[in-house]
Amino acid sequence: MATTYQEQFSVDGIQFTTREAVELIEIDNQFAKATITTMGGSVLSFIPKGQKDLLWVSDSAIYDGSKPIRGGVPICWPWFGGAKQPGLPAHGFVRSMVWTVEKAAHLDTGETRVLLACESNEKTLEQWPHVFKLKLCVEVGASLTLTLISANLSDESVDITEALHTYFSVANPIGMQIKGLEQSTHLDKLVDNAPAEIQTDVVVLNPPKDSVYLNQTGTVSIVDADNERQIVIHKRNSQSSVVWNPGPEIVKGFADIDDQAWLDFACVESGNVLEDFITLPAKAEHMLSVQYLVKPL
Ligand code: TA6
């Protein structure tokens, strides 16, 4: 018999609700509150006890299921950026799919783990002719850990690019330091055919900015000074980071971002993009993971 998620996973501290056409999973445990949506398998909110939300979601986000929700942690897969073929969506198609919840439970540690999944179907195979299953393991505790598991279920190897396109809530992105990107290979996507260059200094965000940092595997820290905090990003199996904020002019081209809202977020994305693509052998899996936490300045 078809059961709703609430019946299937009747666990204290985990509520399954809806907002317009979108399913939400609301988590409230001893460490934090969090909100996840099956729309795109995206985490929308993570609020450690005593802290402000680490994530930003647009006040003008669309919840009718027609497009990804603007904000939180959109999942870019099986490609990052523009599609190779015209007519296919930027950042891949999984963020426009409704994922399923495979597990939802509290751990002995008091943390909460939710496992979401999506898999190839007739529509995805038309866009990308490979059989796959993609899983996202969300672990909510004093920190937020996201693990994206790509499974190539086909008999041939396949190349993917991927990113957790995270919108972090910050008090003021102008002049904000983003540490840990030094010595990576910087590509400025706002400059046509910009040469790759080694990032020598700590990145200072002055929107507009749309930059890829290749060969970048270490921990990244966002100095959210006016919130008197650092947002720390530990990552595993990620060779790339991307930093994006549209600034006051480019933002006007986004119907689901208010004109002043560029002042409220910074995207610092972890993944494997452009030349840092991943070759997935037949029947193999790849795990990309990040851990987000807050430290005082
Ligand atoms: O990650 C940066 C970026 O690729 C920007 O170029 C901008 O397009 C942003 O992602 C948002 O893309 P979206 O498809 O979510 O509107």
Side-chain angles (χ1 to χ4, degrees), residues 87-101:
L88 294 183
H91 292 328
F93 45 73
V94 301
R95 61 176 181 160
S96 300
M97 295 173 72
V98 177
W99 294 39
T100 56
V101 178

Side-chain angles (χ1 to χ4, degrees), residues 40-44 55-56 71-75 144 146 164-167 292:
S42 184
V43 180
L44 299 178
L55 304 179
W56 173 87
V73 186
I75 296 175
L144 174 68
L146 306 179
L164 299 173
H165 192 300
T166 307
Y167 289 73
Y292 299 144

Side-chain angles (χ1 to χ4, degrees), residues 24-247:
L24 301 176
I25 303 140
E26 305 278 6
I27 293 165
D28 184 355
N29 66 30
Q30 67 193 68
F31 299 107
K33 290 184 178 180
T35 302
I36 307 168
T37 178
T38 57
M39 175 64 194
S42 184
V43 180
L44 299 178
S45 171
F46 172 60
I47 311 173
K49 289 278 190 271
Q51 284 289 341
K52 296 180 180 176
D53 204 333
L54 264 71
L55 304 179
W56 173 87
V57 173
S58 173
D59 291 341
S60 301
I62 305 293
Y63 291 88
D64 65 7
S66 65
K67 66 177 297 186
I69 294 166
R70 176 70 61 182
V73 186
I75 296 175
C76 304
W77 197 95
W79 60 80
F80 173 85
K84 287 177 182 163
Q85 285 171 257
L88 294 183
H91 292 328
F93 45 73
V94 301
R95 61 176 181 160
S96 300
M97 295 173 72
V98 177
W99 294 39
T100 56
V101 178
E102 294 196 339
K103 291 195 180 83
H106 298 308
L107 306 178
D108 295 343
T109 57
E111 296 177 310
T112 306
R113 177 181 290 164
V114 177
L115 183 66
L116 301 104
C118 69
E119 49 196 321
S120 48
N121 58 37
E122 192 177 331
K123 191 175 174 192
T124 69
L125 290 167
E126 285 169 8
Q127 301 178 72
W128 192 64
H130 303 284
V131 182
F132 73 87
K133 182 168 185 177
L134 188 64
K135 290 185 280 189
L136 179 74
C137 181
V138 181
E139 291 171 329
V140 176
S143 63
L144 174 68
T145 300
L146 306 179
T147 303
L148 184 68
I149 304 156
S150 306
N152 175 7
L153 304 180
S154 67
D155 295 328
E156 67 277 344
S157 74
V158 65
D159 291 347
I160 63 167
T161 53
E162 58 183 354
L164 299 173
H165 192 300
T166 307
Y167 289 73
F168 290 99
S169 174
V170 297
N172 176 12
I174 301 172
M176 187 175 79
Q177 285 191 330
I178 302 173
K179 298 179 177 176
L181 301 172
E182 305 88 276
Q183 302 313 313
S184 67
T185 303
H186 173 220
L187 297 170
D188 185 344
K189 307 305 281 179
L190 292 182
V191 175
D192 287 342
N193 305 314
E197 57 187 14
I198 297 300
Q199 179 63 38
T200 51
D201 305 319
V202 168
V203 168
V204 177
L205 176 56
N206 280 302
K209 184 176 182 67
D210 191 353
S211 286
V212 172
Y213 297 90
L214 300 174
N215 313 312
Q216 192 282 322
T217 58
T219 293
V220 177
S221 295
I222 302 168
V223 183
D224 183 12
D226 293 2
N227 274 329
E228 297 178 354
R229 69 181 184 181
Q230 283 190 73
I231 299 175
V232 178
I233 304 167
H234 295 306
K235 59 178 196 170
R236 286 176 55 203
N237 296 335
S238 162
Q239 297 288 324
S240 329
S241 285
V242 181
V243 176
W244 178 66
N245 181 298

